[in-house]
């Protein structure tokens, strides 16, 4: 597999619509405060992911409880599981299917590097619009991106190097920053228009419809030295 051309993808936020699913899950719980609570959750998630290993479903539950306390949003105990309960309903972005199909037809092999548990990913996998040759979860590596565990495990499994590997993701913090540290070329699918500096990625796009062209452009750029 080391001689193949590889595209690795973050799944949630890049291919699957994490934010819409989670916001809709919080609306019955928090009403008009759902967006504020989700923003607080993002910070709480980073705190828990940086600490000792815990399953992602526990990060979702404990992170939401912490976010509610920080945001001053009442959250009855059972409602702390709202994000976990909503996970199987998550949909895939409409622009993902055509982009992934075009890339497979162009000869690229695809892999997923995701910050979730195996069983949670299994609820999303049937909806994915293309076959992925390798899947690396946080449960498998016992760490969360931006830690480098996912990336190192993928390289071990496939033999991929900077010369034949491009990473594609929405999260600047979890994905674009660590790939820059590793010298892996990347394409930032900035769906959330975060305002982070685009210079850490070889290309920045805001939707996956432009991904095949961006991959073609990045693939001819010299790889960073090992």
């Amino acid at each position: 597999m080391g001689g193949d051309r590889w595209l690795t993808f973050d799944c949630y936020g890049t291919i699957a619509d994490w934010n819409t699913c989670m916001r809709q899950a919080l609306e019955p719980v928090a009403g008009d405060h759902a967006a504020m609570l989700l923003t607080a959750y993002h910070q709480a998630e980073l705190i828990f992911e940086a600490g000792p290993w815990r399953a992602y479903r526990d990060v979702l539950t404990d992170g939401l409880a912490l976010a509610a306390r920080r945001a001053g949003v009442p959250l009855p105990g059972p409602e702390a599981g709202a994000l976990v309960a909503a996970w199987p309903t998550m949909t895939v972005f409409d622009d993902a299917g055509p982009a992934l199909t075009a890339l497979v037809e162009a000869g690229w092999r695809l892999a997923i590097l995701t910050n979730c548990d195996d069983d949670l990913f299994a609820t999303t996998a049937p909806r994915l619009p293309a076959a992925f040759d390798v899947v690396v979860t946080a449960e498998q590596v016992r760490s969360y991106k931006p830690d480098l565990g996912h990336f190192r495990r993928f390289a071990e499994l496939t033999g991929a190097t900077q010369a034949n590997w491009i990473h594609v993701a929405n999260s600047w913090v979890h994905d674009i920053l660590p790939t820059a540290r590793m010298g892996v070329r990347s394409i930032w699918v900035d769906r959330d228009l975060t305002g982070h500096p685009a210079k850490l990625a070889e290309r920045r796009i805001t939707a996956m419809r432009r991904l095949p062209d961006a991959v073609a452009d990045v693939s001819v750029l010299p790889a960073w030295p090992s």
Side-chain angles (χ1 to χ4, degrees):
M1 292 199 293
D4 295 321
R5 297 190 305 164
W6 284 98
L7 293 171
T8 52
F9 289 81
D10 171 59
C11 184
Y12 299 100
T14 305
I15 297 172
D17 192 353
W18 192 99
N19 273 322
T20 297
C21 179
M22 298 298 100
R23 186 180 66 251
Q24 290 175 346
L26 294 180
E27 285 170 354
V29 175
D32 293 340
H33 300 296
M36 178 180 68
L37 181 56
L38 186 59
T39 297
Y41 170 79
H42 281 292
Q43 183 174 2
E45 180 182 81
L46 286 172
I47 292 170
F48 283 118
E49 288 178 345
W53 162 258
R54 62 176 72 196
Y56 188 61
R57 62 176 52 251
D58 294 334
V59 172
L60 289 167
T61 302
D62 296 343
L64 182 57
L66 175 59
R69 292 196 299 272
R70 292 289 300 275
V73 176
L75 187 71
E79 301 295 351
L83 302 185
V84 175
W87 198 272
T89 70
M90 196 177 307
T91 59
V92 169
F93 286 108
D94 290 340
D95 59 3
L100 295 173
T101 297
L103 292 164
V104 171
E105 291 174 349
W108 289 91
R109 299 190 70 178
L110 310 181
I112 291 279
L113 311 182
T114 179
N115 267 4
C116 77
D117 304 329
D118 292 344
D119 64 334
L120 291 177
F121 179 75
T123 69
T124 306
R127 295 188 178 90
L128 296 179
F132 287 82
D133 300 291
V134 174
V135 175
V136 179
T137 68
E139 182 177 359
Q140 293 166 20
V141 298
R142 297 307 233 214
S143 66
Y144 290 99
K145 297 177 292 179
D147 185 89
L148 301 182
H150 287 74
F151 305 98
R152 289 171 173 158
R153 175 67 62 84
F154 169 74
E156 291 170 359
L157 290 171
T158 63
T161 69
Q162 288 94 329
N164 64 345
W165 173 12
I166 298 170
H167 187 60
V168 181
N170 164 255
S171 176
W172 189 92
V173 171
H174 290 95
D175 291 90
I176 302 306
L177 185 59
T179 49
R181 287 172 56 198
M182 293 185 69
V184 173
R185 293 168 295 175
S186 66
I187 297 170
W188 182 22
V189 187
D190 184 18
R191 294 187 186 275
D192 303 324
L193 306 177
T194 62
H196 285 110
K199 62 186 177 181
L200 290 187
E202 273 63 33
R203 291 290 184 277
R204 172 187 172 271
I205 58 178
T206 57
M208 284 184 70
R209 66 178 179 274
R210 297 178 56 197
L211 183 59
D213 289 338
V215 168
D217 291 343
V218 173
S219 67
V220 300
L221 295 176
W224 294 103
S226 300

